Amino acid sequence: MWFWGTIAATLMLLMSVSLLQPGILETRQISPPMLKNLHHLQRTLERRVENRPGQPLATLLPGRHRSHGPKIYLRHSDDQQNILSHPALQAWDLSLLNFTTNAPAQVVDTEQYRAYGPIDIRLRGEPYQLFQLMDHRDPQVLTKIRLLPVWAKILILILASFGFSLWFTRGLLKPVKQLQLAASALAQGKLDTRANIDAARQDELGQLGKDFDLMAGHLQAHVTQQKRLLADISHELRSPLTRLQMANGIASDKAPEPLMPYLQRVEKEAHLLEQMLSDILQLSRLESQQQQVSLHAISLADLLGPILDDASFESQQLGKEVNWETLPDLTLMVDDMLLGRAFENILRNAIKYANKQVTLNAQCDNNRLAVTICDDGPGVSDAMLEKLCIPFFRASEARTPEGLAGSGGFGLGLAIAQHAIKVHHGRIQFSNHRGLRVTVELPIDKHVL
């Protein structure tokens, strides 16, 4: 429909432009048979006039009683003495032929007729120029189009086809662009994104937009339900877990010595389970944007200093070290508990997988604070970098050292860190640099005092 619509619209514009033109004509060389026919007509008229000296010239011209077919026009230097073979010629603009006074015989096309001539002829002592005229059988508008100059036809066709094709194509590309942007936003985790294609559109693109919105709605409902279920289960498990810890504590007071290692193991696993449930609930609140953010003024040194001291102490117990440069003198307006938890999770993760050393570097430039934390561990494959913040995700066995799987977390630390940083309008990036490099960027203009 759009293809044929473009062609139809182009032709309509071409017709409209041609109708705006004044009287136009086209000339071309006359063919030898037609020139021979004109000379034959010349001799015929000369014989008729010679044989009928008293009869008016107009009555001697052929075609006087035919509404269609060839008509004769005898042009005199005095317009009052022009002779027409048929009354219909009076409605034609014969003045368009005046330019041929001194021209050789040719074909002249106008909107109303086609003229062949002129041929000089002398009748009863008066000089005339002989034209044979034929009316156009084609509709006038098509004749006008044909008479347009070639350059005008080409220019109109190019501009019209380009303009209308662009117009029609926009109707095709606009919903495609909407679907592209919506799919990109949905891939970034914005589950409330919809294509919002015109509901009145009934073609395949309109149906595709409706199906996309339906799919996005189901996906959002499914993910929301899954998160709510995880949060509800975690919340409900805390009560029996608390009772389990209380019962284990009572049992530990009365149990014989041989059972104490087992009860201590139960206490340890219960503590890990409690920590995991706490992380899940916090992650759920961050994902659902229900986490209360309390902003306070705090210097960067006060924010990261205690975390670095604790990380340094823990790393020493593992035979590793944490190094950092002097922190910039910067006071931020942030939720120190939430953002501190994010940096603590990242540092603990780096210490866990480092071979010997973890480094932290903080820099301020271009209205942003960039904190980079690097470890000298085995790193992560490039295909896994974007998945590190997925809850419960483990990149590989290389990033899960032996002996740490049971006490090294549940794959929630980086997920919590990502959401905590996002709450502060920042972002977290992962890359490989002799190990894993984590870069946290925070816009200073939103947090600096």
Side-chain angles (χ1 to χ4, degrees):
M1 290 293 293
W2 283 334
F3 173 76
W4 287 110
T6 300
I7 295 179
T10 303
L11 290 177
M12 289 178 63
L13 181 61
L14 191 61
M15 293 166 61
S16 301
V17 172
S18 66
L19 292 176
L20 296 176
Q21 297 295 318
I24 54 178
L25 52 84
E26 179 185 49
T27 62
R28 65 179 185 273
Q29 186 177 2
I30 193 171
S31 64
M34 192 62 205
L35 182 60
K36 183 178 180 181
N37 182 60
L38 280 177
H39 285 296
H40 177 72
L41 179 61
Q42 174 193 17
R43 293 191 294 270
T44 300
L45 286 176
E46 289 175 342
R47 285 197 301 270
R48 284 190 180 186
V49 172
E50 183 180 352
N51 295 334
R52 303 174 187 177
Q55 190 171 346
L57 290 178
T59 62
L60 299 176
L61 301 181
R64 292 185 300 113
H65 304 294
R66 290 181 298 178
S67 59
H68 300 288
K71 300 174 177 61
I72 306 302
Y73 168 46
L74 294 176
R75 184 176 65 189
H76 194 273
S77 57
D78 182 2
D79 291 342
Q80 299 298 325
Q81 298 186 47
N82 292 341
I83 300 175
L84 307 176
S85 68
H86 196 279
L89 295 179
Q90 297 177 0
W92 293 358
D93 186 7
L94 300 178
S95 65
L96 295 174
L97 301 175
N98 290 343
F99 77 97
T100 63
T101 301
N102 299 316
Q106 57 191 306
V107 181
V108 181
D109 273 315
T110 70
E111 300 173 17
Q112 298 174 309
Y113 58 87
R114 176 176 297 166
Y116 302 91
I119 296 293
D120 293 331
I121 184 172
R122 196 171 189 84
L123 301 174
R124 294 177 181 172
E126 294 291 336
Y128 293 92
Q129 286 189 314
L130 171 65
F131 290 91
Q132 185 175 11
L133 307 179
M134 300 182 65
D135 56 340
H136 283 299
R137 299 296 180 87
D138 297 332
Q140 185 178 13
V141 64
L142 297 182
T143 303
K144 279 181 170 287
I145 293 176
R146 188 169 54 82
L147 293 179
L148 283 173
V150 175
W151 66 266
K153 296 178 188 176
I154 295 176
L155 182 62
I156 291 173
L157 287 174
I158 292 176
L159 293 179
S161 59
F162 176 79
F164 287 113
S165 296
L166 181 62
W167 181 41
F168 290 131
T169 303
R170 286 188 64 184
L172 175 68
L173 295 183
K174 182 179 179 181
V176 174
K177 187 65 175 179
Q178 289 178 266
L179 283 168
Q180 178 188 1
L181 294 176
S184 177
L186 192 65
Q188 295 174 7
K190 301 176 182 178
L191 300 181
D192 58 342
T193 301
R194 300 294 182 269
N196 293 324
I197 294 179
D198 187 3
R201 194 179 184 110
Q202 299 298 322
D203 60 359
E204 290 82 356
L205 288 174
Q207 186 60 46
L208 179 60
K210 296 175 184 176
D211 292 341
F212 179 89
D213 290 347
L214 185 63
M215 176 196 69
H218 288 326
L219 181 62
Q220 182 182 19
H222 176 72
V223 173
T224 302
Q225 183 179 9
Q226 185 183 42
K227 291 179 179 179
R228 185 181 298 114
L229 178 63
L230 186 60
D232 291 344
I233 291 176
S234 302
H235 186 271
E236 293 299 326
L237 285 176
R238 301 195 77 172
S239 296
L241 179 61
T242 302
R243 293 194 293 270
L244 175 63
Q245 290 175 317
M246 293 177 60
N248 186 71
I250 295 174
S252 298
D253 293 337
K254 301 179 180 181
E257 189 64 26
L259 293 179
M260 290 303 298
Y262 299 101
L263 294 177
Q264 291 173 357
R265 184 66 180 179
V266 171
E267 178 66 24
K268 179 180 179 181
E269 296 298 337
H271 177 73
L272 290 175
L273 184 58
E274 182 182 21
Q275 181 183 350
M276 181 181 68
L277 294 178
S278 177
D279 289 345
I280 291 176
L281 289 174
Q282 183 175 23
L283 179 61
S284 176
R285 287 193 295 268
L286 287 170
E287 288 181 337
S288 60
Q289 298 180 353
Q290 295 178 353
Q291 176 75 32
Q292 296 294 327
V293 179
S294 179
L295 301 180
H296 302 282
I298 186 172
S299 67
L300 184 62
D302 290 340
L303 176 67
L304 296 181
I307 298 174
L308 289 170
D309 291 338
D310 292 343
S312 179
F313 176 78
E314 293 180 12
S315 63
Q316 290 176 5
Q317 310 305 312
L318 300 172
K320 304 176 185 180
E321 61 177 346
V322 177
N323 300 320
W324 65 92
E325 299 178 0
T326 303
L327 300 175
D329 185 11
L330 188 67
T331 301
L332 303 174
M333 182 66 73
V334 295
D335 187 325
D336 55 334
M337 295 295 295
L338 188 59
L339 193 59
R341 176 77 184 277
F343 283 114
E344 182 180 3
N345 288 344
I346 297 172
L347 267 173
R348 286 180 178 275
N349 187 77
I351 295 171
K352 173 183 173 182
Y353 297 116
N355 291 326
K356 291 294 182 181
Q357 187 176 20
V358 176
T359 59
L360 181 144
N361 180 38
Q363 294 182 340
C364 295
D365 62 333
N366 298 327
N367 292 324
R368 72 185 182 100
L369 169 65
V371 180
T372 304
I373 300 173
C374 300
D375 65 63
D376 60 352
V380 178
S381 65
D382 293 339
M384 297 296 179
L385 288 175
E386 296 182 356
K387 301 179 180 180
L388 290 179
C389 290
I390 298 177
F392 303 105
F393 175 79
R394 292 188 181 276
S396 66
E397 293 300 326
R399 292 291 290 183
T400 309
E402 194 174 321
L404 291 175
S407 60
F410 311 95
L412 295 173
L414 292 180
I416 293 174
Q418 181 192 44
H419 285 281
I421 293 168
K422 188 182 296 184
V423 166
H424 290 84
H425 309 285
R427 63 174 181 170
I428 182 171
Q429 293 179 304
F430 301 93
S431 60
N432 286 307
H433 182 71
R434 294 178 302 179
L436 183 65
R437 177 169 58 187
V438 183
T439 302
V440 176
E441 294 184 358
L442 292 172
I444 297 177
D445 57 339
K446 292 184 179 292
H447 305 294
V448 71
L449 288 178

